[in-house]
């Protein structure tokens, strides 16, 4: 074979178009901290509301319900979270 001659090649099957590779990333959530602005007692419900996207009023109703129907479990849980959750950083002035 000379340099101008080419060896026969087998026909190739057409390839299917490939979809662009996309990766899913979870949306960024705020840190779980006690709220300094949305608080009635310690800011636990406000912090849980900011972290989960659930209204803090619903968290307060949950703690109240657990307190009344759960033999004080809501107060115990709220107090435990108050101690374990760090306070939010002071807002910049």
């Amino acid at each position: 074979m000379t340099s101008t001659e080419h060896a026969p090649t087998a026909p190739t099957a057409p390839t299917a178009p490939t979809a662009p590779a996309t990766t899913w990333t979870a949306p960024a959530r705020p840190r779980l901290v006690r709220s300094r602005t949305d608080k009635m007692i310690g800011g636990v419900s406000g912090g849980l509301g900011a972290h989960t996207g659930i209204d803090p009023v619903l968290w307060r109703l949950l703690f109240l319900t657990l307190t009344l129907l759960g033999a004080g479990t809501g107060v115990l849980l709220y107090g435990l979270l108050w101690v374990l959750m760090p306070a939010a950083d002071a807002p910049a002035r």
Side-chain angles (χ1 to χ4, degrees):
M1 261 203 227
T2 63
S3 63
T4 58
E5 295 178 18
H6 298 289
T9 58
T12 58
T15 58
T18 58
T22 57
T23 58
W24 182 82
T25 57
R29 282 190 189 178
R31 283 182 44 212
L32 180 59
V33 293
R34 292 189 325 250
S35 175
R36 288 187 177 267
T37 56
D38 189 8
K39 68 180 197 174
M40 294 186 84
I41 299 174
V44 173
S45 297
L48 285 170
H51 182 72
T52 61
I54 299 173
D55 193 352
V57 174
L58 295 176
W59 283 106
R60 291 179 185 116
L61 288 173
L62 176 70
F63 287 123
L64 179 65
T65 303
L66 283 174
T67 299
L68 297 176
L69 300 178
T73 305
V75 173
L76 180 66
L77 183 60
Y78 190 92
L80 187 65
L81 287 172
W82 192 351
V83 171
L84 294 178
M85 286 174 61
D89 298 330
R93 293 184 185 180

